[in-house]
């Protein structure tokens, strides 16, 4: 052996000279490698910045809504006397409120009421959704009938878009939604201080509407919230449980292989197919109601499960076996070992999977199409069994609207969706920080 | 506990009248294709220290892991033969592995503290077995265990720091503390002192001596002196076989087997 | 009693049982010299399991079967002749009866008492409308007694169920309590329950698969009975046409090949871009970046996964596509002097690129977690030999993390295959068969969505082909996954 | 169904249905606002034909008429009493970027630009035209790029029948096709076959997508709904067909040739069961919703002539069902 | 290599005329708040074996890791003072860590084989440093290294199996083989024999003796006999201080420091 050693050492001396040759090259490789990392992250962040910028620059205006202060005369002629109203509400309910609003504006703008063209043009400046707003004022307090009050009314989406400079005013008058006369009206309103941009709370509270100015995300936010709750409450525990079974308990046999292949495969199933599944199973078979966030939540749960399971399994697998041995050797049962030691160590990976899965579920439209959640829903859902929509659905539907005012709302809705996502992410960062450790 | 006599001696059994805690008959282990143990038949006497010695890779750890079924966790490992604890078949399907492992504790060859605080590392076992009624009792168990393992002085002011931040020897003593905290009936120690300095080693050896009064101990060691100092019975393994087993004094003074002779007269570690 | 109340009572019973069991086990432990097999906590959970599981199963079974039984009973009592005279079907009539019945429950007790078998439906409707319950105008007088009976049956059923469930819960708790003994293997039983739950959770994947197959099977078979499988699988032309009124000669061609090619091509391009970027980002975050910047960058990248795909689609359509087209024009002009674009605005490249952006976090975040959990001792081992960091990563850390990374990549590829909106807007819907990445192509998923949500005739091959496409894609990915499993098994390395 | 009217179907009809539903909810506070699902005529009718009962939808919107086979499928599920209601027309227009030249088209020119095979010098050849000028000297010298609806769209059917097939006939191409040895059916197919060399792109999404594409490629011509065009007049320039500028008026009087009727289908069995269903249908057909000057018409619907609307109302009242009409 | 004399003796330096390979001056290490080394000044002579002894947790591993800057990988560790290799400041920003570690190799306290085959484990170092021109040379290096570490006989027929499937002692020897395969100038060994049986220990000790002819070796050991057998210079650590350093014979026969005396006269491991 000493011969071999001698020769080995002799050549070792020779080798040690050669060693220096590579060092420059290897450092270059190292720098390159590190640079790739920085470039990769740079590219990712760059894309993110571009996307966010394009969304926010288009959408921030959606958070402001133009309103007009109009002196409204609640004329008895149109509404009936308060006494009539006490007897039967029908007249109050059905009264022509848009007319009251238009008359108010006509007065404000000093238009000759017999100039029908000007009156119509002025009327188009106010949202036709005023009906509900004015009706609510009257119903709340019948004593306003017969009086004149200043009321802030939503401007129509054309006026709103014009105020935000979203129309190309250089094109001929007949080719744009807002006429020169209307522009004059606007100028006059501005001069009077009767027009203002106010924070658009309605964007968060209103339900769907065919008028941009009264269209809001209320129903969608509630629907998305219900669905995320359902997904989180079902997909996370089920996903983690399934992963634990597969990684820690399951004997390695054909059955577990089957489950494994199945799960991986489900991840590749196009999301709309989950919609087909939801339609067939939850609606047609279980008889759950159409358009309900419960069904949406269940479908998204099934869709998210594979993501969570795959991520969780990878995380569990990364926990070194010595940790398990240590616990088992102390007389901890397998269940205890898993829940006390392995799972906490795998938590960061699980959280990542959950975040990505939830993000995906939060932004998904296609499966909701088939279970009736891509819909026009006005009334707020009280329970997950009521018809509702979801944020991406509202985005999708608004994106397909022809009216200009919906374009900014689409981006505004995306901003809100991203805010939703950011909140989820922040929670996850916080949790992940707590669980992460290197050993 | 029946005072079971070693009825199956085959010329190697322990002197009569000492009760037997664990018996193994023809224990074989395969890792996939490779056979690591070729039929080990050995009785482990109660309240005594049994030392397993033998060259590296001869199967000591493997045998030790059979005794509390830790081999179950290695997918490729297949165990044959019969092992009994107090007469009960350890590999019987009716046996509760968890209870078995609580009764037969283990210290591993490579220290493997949990990535938790030092306190939690030790408190974990007593907690899951419900050995402490309240926080004070738990504290006491933890402190006593750490003290017995000779670690208390070094770490008493940083019980909240992670166990993984300790030095190698400290980690090993932490694992010992963790194992004795659940006071098992049998303690299996796989080279508990290999990472320890002489003083710590002395502490652990003292501990073993002390534990012997109440517990049965099986220890793997590479140090012949240690085997000689702490054990009453010594078993010599060689290439998956049990080369020889006998009272420690006899083994070290007058071994029957040629291989044992060679091994223990080699240069000592 | 309402279902939540019953649940609450059951849980209360199990809680009481659990507490008592805990006490009992503790005293047993103290009194007897023998050691308890399981800790008192497990005895408590044991009793709780006995109290809840059987009773909840009963509750579930009752809730499912009772309405079915009651409805068949009531339906049987619907007078056939009367029904035949009206315009209603049995189902609709029953629906009205049901809504009358549930309306009855809304009424206050004194008003409800006034409703008898003889009450005409008009009076009842008036009563109900006052309480805000709309009643169908098709309601008939004969429905009132049925509604009353239905209501009575439901009330009885609910009472019986309440009592049965609560008694069963109590009995279960008692049974469990009685079985408490020092040697009772409570822990094993409880863990058995846990394990059962785990198995149930993982079987959901299989149930989902079965569900998917069955929700597409009949339509698929229907499709193949009209269009021959050979034409579908080996056809190279996709041109389904609009199914015209008389559907004369507009059967169209349903060649699957161009779609499959597009799917694989676009997916491959996306992976080709996303995987290096994602992996390098993950490596940088896990190995080089300061903890602080990592905890900022990682969630930021994850935002990319959450941006709705329609946004990516419009990004591709409005920004990336035209940019690539103009870029190609410039390049072509500089190189050949001919200023014409060789990249089309909608192309495989555009779709792949934009899809890759979405996929980056799938690779980066998941891989980052996996890489981070490789034990330090391995890194130390390599660094101690004089390896550079990058060598350590390439040769030691990545191989050790490989199984996890492969899973992450599989997941990413899966997403790439399943994506729709990006492809629609970035690569178009033209089913070309080409190798040129600068040409438009389309994917299976796009066609599934298009054929399913269009204005086509719903039982024509044009719509049914969506199911066939879905099924085929399902089978293809299944095969790919089986192959992937085989590969992963082969290269699986366990570290410690 | 249940306590709320549930509608599903065509995304072309969706905006009108939305407007009506919203106003319905506001005008009849007793009823909840109907739910209008979008998802295509196909999916809507499929849901519609699933059966009768509280779990099924009440109304299906469609941008095409129901097909024979669909009626059969409905009947097989017990959906037999169906009222077909036509409520207006959807005009289909060709438009290009507002910044580009204007187009004066007719079916023959469109056929010449977009068909896969055309007749050149008496011979049937693969379409060689690259510029609009090649098709007809009166057209601008601009590369042919067009966005047409994909074959899953109802609009495509109209486009094929009223533009391509008509243009084929007009230009005499069909005769030439048949002369070249094709039989009737083949010639018909050849007439509506669109060139696939990349100059014509299909759009399976909505008009917003077409608009975005035209904004990205200013030289392109796209197919839009009249309503959509009217909302984006500042960005788009509409092409005349046969010299007629499309508008609600020219479509309603039949001068502008390319339009299609819009329908909804009502499940009569639900009429008495779902509160407000009958009111909804009547409200839909009322003057204030779909008559002249109504919000739907403001939005771009081409209204039915008053007498035809009256007939729809009376047909519905009388309970005229599908099948019994013809 | 300059034949640098120990110019900074402070009463502890090695006998003159022996060239010094590495010097350390006032080396301190903090782990976060906790100070693990309180200023160690020690010269390591060339082509000699220096043994570090001392009770567990006193900072031996920490000091060893300073010598090839492995402490850089622990975020919380802060190193102060000055360490020189052949006169070059090891912590100088101009120094190349990779080259340093290639010149100063290390065997860790806990065996940490890569999850690769046994062959690849050993071939890894030579490969990255480009020490072999071709497969044959690489094979030779691997075989020689395994043989030197005394592992070849046991594993020669399963070089393709994973290194993690070896027994504890085998893994440790694999790590030794891996370290010597890159033939560093200085080899740091953190308790290389703690998991080894006497025979394997003897092999490693022989190897150390052999390597000493060409290489400088620093070894941490808990075995006083081992220190006495293999080392020429012994340094005794205590609670982060260097208690005493001197020629091995002197240390074991006639230590100056009270702590050393206590330690080495304790019961031997
Ligand atoms: N998980 C495993 N897979 C495959 N072979 C293994 C495994 N664990 C151990 N072996 C092999 O089984 C044999 C016995 O190993 P064991 O760990 O029992 O040895 P040991 O006596 O404890 O040695 P040491 O003193 O070195 O720890 C060895 O040859 C080893 O390589
Ligand atoms: N990563 C770490 N973080 C915090 N403290 C540490 C870390 N590593 C070691 N220490 C502490 O530093 C001190 C010295 O540790 P070191 O590992 O150098 O001891 P050692 O002399 O090698 O002991 P042993 O013989 O037990 O291996 C110990 O008190 C230890 O707890
Ligand atoms: Mg061992
Ligand atoms: Mg150490």
């Amino acid at each position: 052996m000493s011969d071999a050693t001698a020769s080995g050492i002799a050549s070792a001396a020779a080798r040690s000279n050669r060693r220096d040759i590579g060092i420059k090259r290897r450092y270059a490789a190292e720098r390159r490698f590190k640079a790739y990392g920085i470039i990769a992250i740079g590219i990712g962040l760059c894309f993110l910045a571009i996307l966010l910028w394009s969304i926010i620059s288009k959408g921030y205006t959606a958070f402001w809504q133009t309103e007009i202060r109009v002196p409204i005369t609640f004329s008895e002629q149109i509404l009936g006397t308060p006494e009539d109203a006490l007897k039967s509400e029908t007249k109050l309910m059905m009264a022509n409120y848009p007319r009251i609003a238009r008359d108010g504006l006509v007065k404000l703008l000093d238009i000759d009421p017999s100039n029908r063209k000007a009156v119509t043009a002025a009327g188009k400046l106010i949202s036709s959704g005023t009906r509900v707003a004015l009706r609510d004022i009257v119903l709340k307090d019948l004593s306003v009938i017969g009086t004149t009050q200043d009321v802030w009314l939503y401007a129509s989406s054309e006026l709103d878009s014009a105020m935000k400079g979203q129309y190309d005013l250089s094109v001929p008058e007949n080719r744009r939604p807002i006429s020169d006369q209307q522009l004059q009206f606007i100028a006059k309103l501005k001069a009077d201080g009767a027009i203002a941009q106010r924070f658009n709370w309605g964007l968060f509270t209103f339900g769907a509407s065919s008028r941009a100015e009264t269209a809001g995300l209320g129903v969608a936010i509630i629907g998305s919230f219900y669905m995320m709750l359902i997904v989180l409450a079902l997909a996370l525990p089920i996903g983690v449980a399934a992963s634990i079974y597969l990684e820690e308990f399951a004997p390695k046999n054909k059955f577990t292989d089957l489950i494994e292949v199945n799960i991986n495969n489900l991840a590749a199933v196009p999301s709309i197919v989950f919609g087909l599944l939801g339609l067939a199973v939850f609606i047609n078979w279980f008889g759950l109601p159409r358009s309900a966030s419960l069904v949406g939540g269940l479908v998204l749960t099934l869709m998210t499960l594979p993501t969570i399971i795959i991520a969780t399994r990878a995380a569990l697998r990364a926990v070194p076996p010595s940790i398990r041995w240590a616990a088992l050797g102390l007389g901890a049962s397998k269940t205890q070992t898993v829940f006390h030691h392995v799972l906490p160590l795998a938590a960061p990976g699980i959280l990542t999977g959950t975040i990505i899965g939830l993000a995906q579920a939060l932004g998904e439209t296609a499966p909701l199409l088939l279970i009736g959640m891509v819909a026009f829903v006005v009334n707020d859902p009280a329970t997950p069994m009521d018809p509702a929509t979801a944020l991406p659905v509202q985005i999708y539907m608004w994106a397909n609207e022809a009216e200009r005012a919906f374009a900014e709302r689409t981006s505004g809705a995306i901003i809100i969706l991203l805010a939703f996502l950011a909140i989820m992410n922040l929670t996850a960062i916080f949790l992940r920080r707590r669980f992460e450790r290197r050993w | 506990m029946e005072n079971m006599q070693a009825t199956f001696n085959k010329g190697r059994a322990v002197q009569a009248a000492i009760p037997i805690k664990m018996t193994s008959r023809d224990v074989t282990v395969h890792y996939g294709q490779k056979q690591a143990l070729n039929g080990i038949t050995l009785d482990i006497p109660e309240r005594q220290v049994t030392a397993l010695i033998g060259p590296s890779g001869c199967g000591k750890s493997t045998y030790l892991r059979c005794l509390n079924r830790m081999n179950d966790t290695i997918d490729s490992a297949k165990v044959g033969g019969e092992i009994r604890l107090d007469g009960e078949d350890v590999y019987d399907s009716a046996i509760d592995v968890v209870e078995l492992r609580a009764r037969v504790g283990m210290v591993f060859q490579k220290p493997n503290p949990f990535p938790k605080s030092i306190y939690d590392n030790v408190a974990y076992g007593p907690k899951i077995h419900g050995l402490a009624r309240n926080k004070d009792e738990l504290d006491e168990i933890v402190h006593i265990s750490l003290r017995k393992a000779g670690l208390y002085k070094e770490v008493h002011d940083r019980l909240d720091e992670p166990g993984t931040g300790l030095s190698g020897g400290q980690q090993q003593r932490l694992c010992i503390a963790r194992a004795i905290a659940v006071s098992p009936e049998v303690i299996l120690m796989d080279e508990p002192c290999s990472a320890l300095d002489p003083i710590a080693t002395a502490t652990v050896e003292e501990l073993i001596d002390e534990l012997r009064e109440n517990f049965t101990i099986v220890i793997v060691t590479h140090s012949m002196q240690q085997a000689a100092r702490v054990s009453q019975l010594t078993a010599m393994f060689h290439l998956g076989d049990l080369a020889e087993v006998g009272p420690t004094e006899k083994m070290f003074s007058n071994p029957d087997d040629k291989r044992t002779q060679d091994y223990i007269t080699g240069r000592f570690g | 009693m309402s279902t939540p109340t019953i649940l609450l009572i059951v849980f209360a019973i199990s809680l009481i049982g659990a507490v008592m069991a805990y006490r009992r086990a503790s005293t047993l432990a103290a009194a007897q010299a023998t050691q308890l097999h399981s800790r008192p906590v497990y005895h408590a959970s044991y009793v709780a399991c006995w109290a809840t599981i059987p009773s909840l199963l009963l509750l579930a079974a009752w809730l499912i079967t009772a309405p079915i039984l009651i409805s068949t009973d009531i339906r049987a009592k619907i007078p056939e002749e009367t029904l035949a005279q009206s315009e209603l079907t049995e189902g609709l009539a029953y629906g009205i009866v049901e809504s009358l019945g549930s309306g009855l429950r809304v009424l206050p007790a004194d008003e409800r008492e006034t409703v008898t078998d003889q009450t005409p439906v008009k009076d009842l409707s008036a009563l109900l409308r006052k309480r805000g319950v709309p009643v169908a105008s098709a309601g008939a007088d004969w429905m009132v007694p049925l509604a009353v009976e239905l209501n009575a049956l439901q009330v009885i059923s609910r009472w019986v169920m309440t009592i049965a469930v609560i008694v069963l819960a109590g009995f279960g708790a008692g049974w469990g309590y009685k079985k408490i003994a020092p040697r009772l293997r409570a822990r094993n039983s409880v863990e058995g329950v846990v394990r059962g739950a785990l198995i149930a959770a993982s079987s959901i994947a299989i149930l989902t698969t079965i569900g998917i197959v069955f929700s597409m099977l009949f339509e698929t078979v229907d499709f193949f009975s009209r269009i021959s499988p050979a034409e579908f699988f080996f056809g190279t032309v996709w041109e389904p046409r609009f199914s015209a009124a008389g559907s004369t000669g507009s059967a169209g061609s349903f060649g699957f090949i161009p779609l499959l090619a597009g799917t694989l091509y676009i997916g491959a391009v996306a992976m080709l871009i996303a995987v290096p970027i994602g992996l390098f980002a993950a490596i940088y975050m896990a190995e080089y970046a300061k903890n602080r910047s990592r905890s900022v960058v990682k969630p930021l990248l994850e935002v990319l996964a959450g941006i709705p795909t329609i946004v990516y689609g419009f990004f591709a359509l409005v920004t990336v596509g035209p940019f690539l087209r103009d870029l190609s024009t410039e390049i072509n002009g500089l190189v050949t002097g001919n200023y014409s674009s060789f990249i089309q605005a909608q192309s495989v490249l555009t779709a792949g690129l934009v899809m890759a952006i979405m996929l980056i976090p799938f690779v980066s975040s998941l891989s980052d977690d996996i890489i981070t959990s490789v034990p330090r001792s391995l890194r130390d081992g390599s660094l101690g030999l004089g390896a550079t960091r990058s060598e350590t990563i390439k040769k030691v850390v990545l191989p050790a993390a490989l199984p996890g990374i492969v899973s992450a990549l599989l997941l990413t590829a899966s997403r790439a295959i399943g994506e729709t909106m990006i492809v629609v807007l970035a690569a178009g819907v033209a089913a070309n068969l080409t190798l040129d990445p600068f040409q438009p192509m389309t994917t299976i998923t796009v066609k599934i969505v298009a054929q399913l949500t269009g204005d086509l005739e719903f039982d024509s091959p044009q719509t049914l082909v969506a199911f066939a496409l879905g099924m085929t894609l399902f089978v293809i990915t299944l095969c790919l996954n089986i192959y992937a499993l085989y590969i992963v098994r082969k290269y699986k390395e366990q570290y410690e | 169904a249940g306590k709320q009217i549930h509608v599903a179907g065509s995304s072309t009809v969706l905006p009108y249905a939305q407007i009506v539903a919203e106003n319905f909810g506001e005008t009849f506070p007793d009823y909840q606002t109907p739910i209008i699902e979008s998802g295509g005529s196909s999916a809507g009718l499929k849901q519609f034909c699933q059966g009768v009962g509280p779990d099924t939808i009440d109304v299906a919107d469609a941008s095409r008429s129901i097909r024979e086979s669909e009626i059969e499928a409905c009947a097989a599920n017990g959906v037999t009493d169906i009222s077909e209601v036509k409520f207006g027309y959807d005009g289909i227009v060709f438009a290009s970027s507002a910044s580009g030249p204007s187009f004066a088209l007719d079916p023959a020119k469109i056929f010449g630009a977009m068909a896969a095979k055309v007749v050149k010098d008496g011979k049937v050849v693969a379409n060689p035209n690259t510029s609009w000028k090649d098709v007809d000297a009166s057209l601008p010298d601009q590369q042919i790029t067009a966005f047409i609806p994909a074959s899953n769209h109802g609009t495509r059917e109209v486009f094929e029948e009223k533009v391509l097939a008509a243009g084929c006939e007009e230009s005499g191409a069909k005769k030439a096709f048949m002369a070249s040895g094709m039989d009737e059916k083949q010639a018909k197919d050849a007439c509506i076959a669109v060139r696939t060399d990349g100059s014509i792109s299909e759009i399976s999404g909505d008009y917003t997508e077409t608009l975005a594409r035209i904004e990205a490629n200013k030289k392109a011509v796209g197919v839009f709904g009249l309503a959509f065009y009217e909302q984006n007049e500042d960005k788009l320039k509409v092409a005349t067909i046969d010299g007629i500028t499309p508008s609600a008026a020219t479509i309603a009087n039949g001068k502008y040739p390319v339009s299609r009727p819009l329908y909804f289908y009502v499940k009569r069995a639900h009429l008495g069961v779902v509160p407000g269903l009958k009111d909804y249908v009547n409200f839909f057909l009322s003057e204030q919703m779909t008559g002249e000057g109504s919000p739907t018409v403001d939005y771009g619907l081409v209204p039915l002539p008053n007498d035809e609307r009256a007939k729809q109302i009376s047909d519905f009242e009388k309970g005229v069902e599908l099948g019994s009409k013809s």
Side-chain angles (χ1 to χ4, degrees), chain D residues 10 24 46 67 91 97 112 149 154 164 170 209 253 281 319 325-326:
Chain D
S10 164
F24 178 75
K46 185 169 190 186
R67 304 284 194 245
S97 171
L164 290 181
E170 256 173 50
E209 188 189 336
N253 66 18
V281 175
K325 211 181 263 176
S326 53

Side-chain angles (χ1 to χ4, degrees), chain A residues 39-52, chain C residues 301 304 315 357:
Chain A
I39 292 171
I41 289 183
I43 292 176
L45 291 182
C46 185
F47 280 133
L48 181 70
I50 295 174
L51 278 167
L52 287 185
Chain C
L301 287 183
L304 286 174
F315 181 59
I357 302 175

Side-chain angles (χ1 to χ4, degrees), chain C residues 41-91:
Chain C
V41 174
Y42 284 103
H43 289 271
S45 325
Y46 178 78
V47 171
C49 284
W50 268 111
T52 48
I53 293 174
S55 55
L56 291 187
L57 284 180
L58 177 71
L59 180 70
W62 200 294
L63 285 177
I64 292 170
T65 53
I68 299 175
L69 292 179
I70 292 177
S71 97
T72 39
D73 185 52
I74 296 286
R75 274 163 194 257
K77 288 186 184 149
I78 293 177
E80 299 262 339
E81 318 81 66
T82 344
L83 187 66
Q85 283 159 23
S86 70
E87 296 228 301
L88 298 168
T89 61
E90 191 188 280

Side-chain angles (χ1 to χ4, degrees), chain C residues 241-245 450-451 453-457, chain D residues 10-13 40-42 62-65 67 90 92 148-162 203-207 223 258-263:
Chain C
R241 300 282 180 84
F242 193 87
S243 54
Q451 299 305 112
T453 60
D455 298 328
L456 304 153
E457 195 176 331
Chain D
S10 164
S11 49
T12 314
V13 180
S41 310
S42 166
S63 54
R64 59 167 171 84
S65 60
R67 304 284 194 245
D90 181 28
I92 292 163
I148 62 168
S151 57
N152 61 331
H153 266 289
T155 319
R156 175 64 172 266
E157 187 190 16
V158 180
F159 175 73
E160 288 179 355
E161 275 176 19
K162 301 210 169 152
I203 305 287
S204 71
D206 280 85
Y207 297 130
V223 174
V258 198
S259 70
R260 59 172 170 169
L262 299 176
Y263 303 90

Side-chain angles (χ1 to χ4, degrees), chain D residues 13 16-18 20-21 24 36 59 61 85 87 264 278-291 296 301 309:
Chain D
V13 180
Y16 311 121
Q18 265 175 215
V20 175
F24 178 75
I36 320 284
V59 177
D61 295 334
V85 180
F87 67 91
F264 61 86
K278 202 165 190 168
D279 292 333
Y280 172 75
V281 175
N282 283 322
F283 186 70
F284 207 124
L285 289 173
S286 68
E287 165 99 44
Q288 61 163 319
M289 273 301 113
T290 47
T296 51
L301 180 74
R309 207 178 63 233

Side-chain angles (χ1 to χ4, degrees), chain C residues 327-376:
Chain C
L327 186 74
S328 76
T329 311
E330 288 302 314
I331 292 176
N332 201 13
L334 287 179
V335 175
T336 65
N338 169 19
Y339 282 87
S340 68
S341 64
F342 58 89
I343 302 183
Q344 302 216 6
Q346 311 169 47
S347 65
V348 171
L349 182 66
T350 313
L353 179 64
V354 175
M355 195 189 284
I357 302 175
M358 178 194 75
L359 296 178
I360 288 173
F362 280 79
V363 187
S364 69
S365 281
L366 291 172
S367 308
D368 171 67
D369 286 327
I370 312 275
I371 292 174
T372 316
S373 55
V374 172
R376 168 197 299 280

Side-chain angles (χ1 to χ4, degrees), chain C residues 205-352:
Chain C
I206 294 194
L207 291 181
T208 311
T209 301
I210 295 174
I212 285 179
V213 169
F214 273 94
S215 56
M216 298 194 294
L217 190 63
F218 302 109
E219 280 91 346
T220 307
V221 171
D222 194 1
F223 173 77
F224 283 124
S225 70
R226 300 178 194 207
I227 304 291
S228 85
E231 192 188 328
F232 176 73
F233 287 115
F234 302 113
T236 53
V237 178
W238 171 269
E239 177 100 68
R241 300 282 180 84
F242 193 87
S243 54
S247 56
T248 43
S250 53
S253 8
F254 296 90
F256 170 70
I257 302 276
L259 302 185
L260 179 65
T263 304
L264 297 180
Y265 203 174
I266 293 177
V269 171
M271 290 294 282
L272 217 60
I273 301 171
V275 171
I277 294 182
L279 257 184
F280 274 115
I283 289 169
Y284 189 84
M285 285 192 288
E287 299 284 339
Y288 292 104
K290 294 263 176 329
N291 235 334
R292 228 194 152 76
S293 49
R294 176 165 171 263
S295 61
V296 174
V297 169
K298 192 171 169 180
L300 275 183
L301 287 183
E302 278 163 8
V303 170
L304 286 174
I307 294 179
T309 50
I310 188 169
V311 178
Y312 282 109
F314 275 102
F315 181 59
L317 181 64
V318 176
T319 315
V320 180
F323 171 75
L324 289 178
R325 184 194 56 208
D326 299 345
L327 186 74
S328 76
T329 311
E330 288 302 314
I331 292 176
N332 201 13
L334 287 179
V335 175
T336 65
N338 169 19
Y339 282 87
S340 68
S341 64
F342 58 89
I343 302 183
Q344 302 216 6
Q346 311 169 47
S347 65
V348 171
L349 182 66
T350 313

